[in-house]
Amino acid sequence: TRLGAHLTYHDPYVTTWHVDDTPIPTAGTDLPAALEAADLVIVLADHSAYDAETLARHSRLLFDTRGRTRASRGETVELL
């Protein structure tokens, strides 16, 4: 918020989240609506509760740090 960004989060396993003692509000329970409302979606966890197709379809701009949506975009997934 200091730099003009409005941060929210969505995680079925996290009930509260704080950054530098600042509480971050949840994006609500409607995941597709939350994805569509965001300018940027950042995937930080590889929860099986999230469908990769839903993440890819409803996000305007997606930064997937876990590679969760790689297969849904038609890319080859490499397992190490």
Side-chain angles (χ1 to χ4, degrees), residues 6-24:
H6 299 281
L7 182 64
T8 62
Y9 78 96
H10 187 283
D11 191 310
Y13 305 110
V14 177
T15 56
T16 61
W17 185 34
H18 292 77
V19 174
D20 295 332
D21 296 323
T22 301
I24 306 302

Side-chain angles (χ1 to χ4, degrees), residues 10 29-38 54 57-59:
H10 187 283
T29 57
D30 185 351
L31 179 60
L35 294 168
E36 291 168 3
T54 299
R57 184 176 341 113
H58 293 281
S59 299

Side-chain angles (χ1 to χ4, degrees), residues 7-8 10 35 38 40-45 59 61-65:
L7 182 64
T8 62
H10 187 283
L35 294 168
L40 171 64
V41 173
I42 302 173
V43 177
L44 297 175
S59 299
L61 183 59
L62 179 64
F63 179 44
D64 182 359
T65 68

